[in-house]
Amino acid sequence: MTKVAPSRPDMTALAPPPALLLTNRHASPSRTSTNHSSPADEDALQTDRLLLAKERQADREKTQDLSALLRDKERRVQQQLERCAGERGRRMEEQRRKEQQRRAAAEERRRQQQEAEKVRGHSTLSQRTT
């Protein structure tokens, strides 16, 4: 006959549950309700403890790896933001410089135009007085 172990405590099974049934995978085996234990049960407890310790270690390593990946990603994002800010600052400075040159050129043209009008005005006055 096939033995089917329960996947949840509230389910029924064709076979009795094993001597040690941990509902929480991180539950301490010492807190489970076993009054009498045989050497096989002690071996099973020791094996479960080792498996749990390995799982916890694997979980810690996975968490550390994910944290490192996240830190690297955040660092790259920060570097990209800094590059973009630098480029934006350079573009704004270039735009400001061009605008200043444009204003200076317009002012120079205005000044030259006034000078030309003044010269024409003097030459017209000179011609009238002569």
Side-chain angles (χ1 to χ4, degrees):
M1 179 174 184
T2 305
K3 292 184 179 183
V4 177
S7 60
R8 295 189 347 215
D10 60 340
M11 294 178 64
T12 59
L14 298 175
L20 177 64
L21 179 63
L22 296 177
T23 56
N24 179 353
R25 76 179 188 136
H26 293 296
S28 171
S30 63
R31 292 185 183 159
T32 58
S33 58
T34 56
N35 294 336
H36 306 288
S37 58
S38 66
D41 289 341
E42 291 296 325
D43 289 343
L45 283 174
Q46 185 63 27
T47 302
D48 285 345
R49 285 187 189 114
L50 291 174
L51 288 173
L52 286 172
K54 286 180 182 178
E55 285 179 5
R56 283 191 214 107
Q57 180 64 29
D59 287 347
R60 277 193 297 274
E61 289 173 1
K62 186 175 180 182
T63 301
Q64 289 171 349
D65 290 345
L66 290 174
S67 295
L69 287 173
L70 185 58
R71 281 191 304 274
D72 288 345
K73 185 175 183 178
E74 288 173 347
R75 181 183 49 78
R76 287 190 304 272
V77 166
Q78 186 63 33
Q79 288 173 342
Q80 179 64 26
L81 286 173
E82 290 170 1
R83 281 192 300 270
C84 287
E87 290 171 8
R88 183 172 182 258
R90 284 187 293 277
R91 284 193 308 268
M92 289 178 71
E93 181 61 28
E94 180 67 17
Q95 185 178 1
R96 184 194 65 76
R97 188 184 58 75
K98 285 181 179 179
E99 181 66 20
Q100 188 176 13
Q101 287 176 345
R102 187 191 63 78
R103 283 191 199 125
E107 179 64 26
E108 180 63 21
R109 282 191 304 272
R110 186 189 62 77
R111 189 187 62 72
Q112 288 176 354
Q113 189 176 11
Q114 284 178 343
E115 190 67 32
E117 288 174 3
K118 190 185 287 185
V119 168
R120 272 187 247 132
H122 285 296
S123 66
T124 306
L125 285 177
S126 300
Q127 290 175 358
R128 286 186 186 169
T129 56
T130 47

